Amino acid sequence: MTDRRVAMITGATGGLGRVLVPDLAADGWDLVLVGSSQERLDGLVSAAGVDPDHSAIIVANLREQAAATAAIDAAYERFGRVDALAHLVGGWTGGTHVGRSSDEPFTDMIDQHFWTSLNVVRELAPRMVDAGFGRIAAVSSPMAAAPDAGMSAYGVGKAAQETLFAALAQEVAGTGVTVNVVRVLAIDNAGGEAGSDKPYATTPAEISSAIRYLFSDAARVVNGERIGLHGGV
């Protein structure tokens, strides 16, 4: 049990998680870090310098409802609460035009973006509503609304995810829970200055700042938004 607020970060071991995790730890959050690899999660905790007394590691395949439910149950058993979710589970499949595509890339993208999201939030959101407070934020892409040629599978997966979160935002409105999406076109994991050669590229630090704001009390009236972090491109 903890008196501190608790953030669950799914897909924690990606490039964005390596920045968001230490940022949230520095802000005083207890952390539940969820990923598919024990080794990578251990490496993240070590590299981020996260205090074991204020963190938990959970290995789970969130494409499976039972695994997602077990992960959330474990978080509540460890800390007694989850106040915020950063859903960072990502993945990209592109390069295939609709007329020449098999089912596989569409199935993969829907599993990766829609089903992982649904499996987590349909278990977590009701608990947040019961608690009277919650913050849910996911990273999406403008491709959800305007996919390029050859990006149909990715666009479909992201559109399904965004539709889910938009509906959930309306369902929890006025309960103390908010649901928002941050749209990113490209993440500059190399650490360069955003805008130097790709004005649409967003650094992990910039995305982390947006998520931390959405998690804050100051963002209590921000709900159901698609926040673009891609320079308007």
Side-chain angles (χ1 to χ4, degrees):
M1 298 294 182
T2 181
D3 293 328
R4 292 155 51 111
R5 283 184 173 171
V6 178
M8 172 177 278
I9 305 167
T10 53
T13 59
L16 178 53
R18 289 193 292 271
V19 174
L20 181 61
V21 167
D23 282 352
L24 289 175
D27 288 343
W29 290 77
D30 285 351
L31 302 175
V32 179
L33 308 178
V34 183
S36 58
S37 166
Q38 180 74 48
E39 181 179 3
R40 293 180 67 188
L41 286 166
D42 289 339
L44 172 63
V45 168
S46 176
V50 174
D51 185 344
D53 291 336
H54 294 290
S55 63
I57 289 176
I58 300 174
V59 179
N61 176 8
L62 298 178
R63 297 184 181 207
E64 300 175 356
Q65 180 62 63
T69 300
I72 293 166
D73 286 343
Y76 275 84
E77 182 176 353
R78 173 72 169 83
F79 291 117
R81 59 194 291 180
V82 174
D83 301 283
L85 167 70
H87 190 62
L88 310 183
V89 175
W92 174 83
T93 295
T96 302
H97 287 249
V98 173
R100 298 192 295 274
S101 177
S102 66
D103 291 349
E104 183 177 1
F106 289 92
T107 299
D108 182 54
M109 288 293 93
I110 291 171
D111 285 349
Q112 188 80 348
H113 299 293
F114 173 75
W115 281 110
T116 63
S117 300
L118 178 59
N119 289 340
V120 173
V121 300
R122 68 177 162 192
E123 182 66 34
L124 184 57
R127 302 192 196 200
M128 289 180 167
V129 170
D130 288 344
F133 180 89
R135 299 287 187 263
I136 296 173
V139 175
S140 186
S141 167
M143 293 288 171
D148 291 337
M151 296 290 287
S152 56
Y154 180 69
V156 165
K158 281 300 185 184
Q161 180 188 52
E162 287 198 8
T163 300
L164 171 69
F165 283 122
L168 180 60
Q170 295 305 306
E171 293 172 5
V172 302
T175 67
V177 179
T178 65
V179 182
N180 294 285
V181 168
V182 175
R183 281 180 167 180
V184 178
L185 187 57
I187 299 178
D188 177 13
N189 284 313
E193 294 184 3
S196 56
D197 58 348
K198 294 180 179 179
Y200 55 82
T202 315
T203 66
E206 290 168 328
I207 304 168
S208 175
S209 293
I211 292 173
R212 290 157 68 199
Y213 167 69
L214 292 173
F215 280 7
S216 72
D217 291 332
R220 67 179 182 83
V221 295
V222 184
N223 184 41
E225 298 298 330
R226 295 175 173 92
I227 301 169
L229 300 182
H230 46 81
V233 177

